[in-house]
Every structure is written in structure tokens, then in C-alpha cells.
Amino acid sequence: MAAVADYPEYSPQGMAATTGYVEANGLTFAYIEEGSGPLVLMLHGFPDTAHTWDDLRPRIAAKGYRAVSAFMRGYHPTGVSALDADQETLARDPLALISALGASEAVVIGHDWGASAAYGAAALEPDRVSKLITVAIPHPATLKPSPRKLWGARHFAAYKLPGAANRFARNNFEALPAICRRWSPTWRPPPEEFDAVRECFASPGSLDAAFGYYRKLWPLPSASLRARITVPTVVFAGLDDPVVEVSDYRRAARMFLGSYVIEEMPGGHFMHREHPGVFAERVLRHL
């Protein structure tokens, strides 16, 4: 069962948030929690942390839900595994978290790597995911390479190289805002927007663990990404995304046997932080 720490986290809406820890899928996961009711589990991507949901989490809690944003595998204060995270491990993490948090099912919201984990979880155990909401990532099994996509995703190769994590950390993680600008070119975040990520990656092992996701990445979809999804699904597509187009989300519809809704909204890869009010309104509509 969940163990809740005795210190609060900042909440933009003024609600009390707590940080807790659970054992799930062989690892100690940290999470931020607000509210009570049906579980909504939120999963972040790279380069990010559970704080990426600091605006959305209290809004969901205020609607009568237990809103939990987890720190993904390897991201401090979640534990670091001895092995790089592969897709099947990532897919089982949300399912294990749902059980560890004392729930039988949850709405699962995922961005970037969190979206990949969420797709896999919904395919593996659809009875545990009552609704699937993904952000900025069409179903990975349907993406077709093009010069534009290969150039936009060139970090996939660069992050596999020896020393990639150390290069990313240079000059106080100078590469952090740079990569976010590349993926969300219309976003102009203040410098403090990345404080939580810098703090996470300053913890020994966490940055290397985050790069381990890329080291383990394989171009062919593994089992959890080959299965069709029956869970009702909503995908958020950023109209200013320089890499992924709305047509990619339309093409991905073939992987879904249940309802499949595409929400087009302003913003790039980090649309949920670039336009938090619009994003939250759309998400709450689907809850």
C-alpha cells in the first residue's frame, strides 16, 4: 500500500498535495497526490518529471478524483533500476502502480515516454485502464519515417551514444531548454520552468537512467505496442508540433478498436505546459 510522506508539495490551485512512495514492479516509485475518488494516474516523459502535471493535477482533484502524478522509473526520487527500461517494463509500471495505490482501475494520462507506457498498459490489461489519454505521441507502431521525422527525432540516435548523459548535463543542463525549444518552438517558458528537471537529473544515476530509455529503444514495436487497444482513447495533437502531424494521429486510428478521439490544440510537444488552461479544459471534458 502507499506510504505518504509528511511534507506538502506546491499546488498552483492552493490545494494540499502530498508526496508518497509505493513498491511497484520491483522498484520504489515516488508520486505526488491530490484529492480523493476514482484514480487518475499521470505519467511524464523526457526531459521532465511528475511536476509537469502541477497545473492539471489539482484541477482534476477538484472534480472529485484522486489525481496522482508519478515520477517515472529512474527519475529521482523514484528508484533507479540496474537495467535500462524497455517498453514492456514501462508498460507494466502503470499497471503495478494502479495496484500499489490500492485501486482496481484508473484513467491513465501519459505524455512522451509516459504515453508509450500508457499505450502498452492499456493493451496488456484493458480492464485496468478505464480511459486512456495520451499527449504528443501517436501510437508508436503506426509512425512512418520521413526526412522531417528522422531529423526531428535525431536525438533518438544521439542519446544512445556513450557519454550522451554527460554532454546533456554540461553548463547546468544547457541542453534542457534547447531541446524543449526544438520540440515546442512556440513555447517561451521562464528559466524556473526547468528547475524541477534540473533537480531530478542532479541526483546520481537519474540522468543516466533517463537516457537508458533511449539506449533500450528498438525500432520494431514490442508486444505491448503490437496489440490493438480496446480502451476508450483520447489523443492530444499539438498544431505547432514541428515533428508529428495531425495526419499521424489519424493514421494511428487502426490500432484502436474502441472509441478514438483526436483533440487538436495549439502548442508543440509540450502543449500541456504551453497552454495549460486549454489543455486542462479539454481533459476535464473527457473525464
Side-chain angles (χ1 to χ4, degrees):
M1 292 296 291
V4 179
D6 59 357
Y7 55 90
E9 292 284 344
Y10 170 72
S11 167
Q13 305 297 320
M15 299 180 68
T18 55
T19 298
Y21 299 87
V22 289
E23 296 296 319
N25 203 15
L27 205 65
T28 300
F29 281 83
Y31 63 90
I32 308 170
E33 174 179 15
E34 295 181 64
S36 60
L39 178 62
V40 178
L41 177 62
M42 291 169 275
L43 309 169
H44 67 83
F46 176 91
D48 222 334
T49 71
H51 289 286
T52 201
W53 307 113
D54 278 355
D55 183 87
L56 180 63
R57 190 180 56 250
R59 296 177 192 257
I60 289 177
K63 294 294 184 181
Y65 292 90
R66 181 187 181 191
V68 173
S69 57
F71 289 84
M72 294 284 281
R73 169 176 294 266
Y75 285 75
H76 180 77
T78 286
V80 176
S81 172
L83 300 173
D84 288 343
D86 61 19
Q87 169 60 28
E88 298 312 297
T89 301
L90 292 176
R92 296 201 174 277
D93 282 347
L95 300 171
L97 280 166
I98 291 169
S99 296
L101 291 165
S104 59
E105 64 176 20
V107 174
V108 179
I109 302 175
H111 172 246
D112 190 78
W113 280 106
S116 222
Y119 283 129
L124 289 176
E125 296 191 33
D127 57 325
R128 312 292 307 284
V129 180
S130 56
K131 179 164 281 191
L132 174 64
I133 300 175
T134 62
V135 186
I137 299 291
H139 195 288
T142 65
L143 284 171
K144 290 187 174 181
S146 68
R148 174 182 175 179
K149 284 184 177 56
L150 291 172
W151 178 246
R154 60 192 182 275
H155 62 287
F156 281 17
Y159 289 176
K160 286 176 175 288
L161 299 175
N166 290 335
R167 288 189 289 275
F168 192 88
R170 287 175 184 164
N171 300 320
N172 192 29
F173 302 98
E174 186 178 47
L176 173 59
I179 198 73
C180 291
R181 279 194 302 271
R182 191 211 298 174
W183 297 341
S184 274
T186 56
W187 187 28
R188 298 293 180 268
E192 61 270 17
E193 185 78 21
F194 305 107
D195 287 351
V197 183
R198 285 190 171 95
E199 181 181 352
C200 170
F201 286 164
S203 177
S206 278
L207 181 59
D208 188 64
F211 274 72
Y213 287 49
Y214 293 94
R215 287 192 296 268
K216 202 70 174 180
L217 185 64
W218 184 249
L220 298 178
S222 60
S224 67
L225 294 180
R226 291 197 302 268
R228 301 287 181 93
I229 293 174
T230 59
V231 172
T233 299
V234 181
V235 294
F236 278 79
L239 296 174
D240 302 307
D241 193 317
V243 180
V244 182
E245 301 170 87
V246 174
S247 59
D248 294 312
Y249 296 90
R250 295 188 184 121
R251 187 182 304 111
R254 66 179 176 83
M255 294 301 298
F256 300 88
L257 301 178
S259 65
Y260 179 73
V261 177
I262 302 172
E263 282 282 1
E264 302 176 30
M265 64 167 283
H269 187 72
F270 295 93
M271 68 193 88
H272 62 298
R273 292 168 71 175
E274 192 173 349
H275 301 284
V278 174
F279 179 75
E281 180 187 0
R282 303 275 190 92
V283 168
L284 292 174
R285 219 183 277 165
H286 289 288
L287 293 183

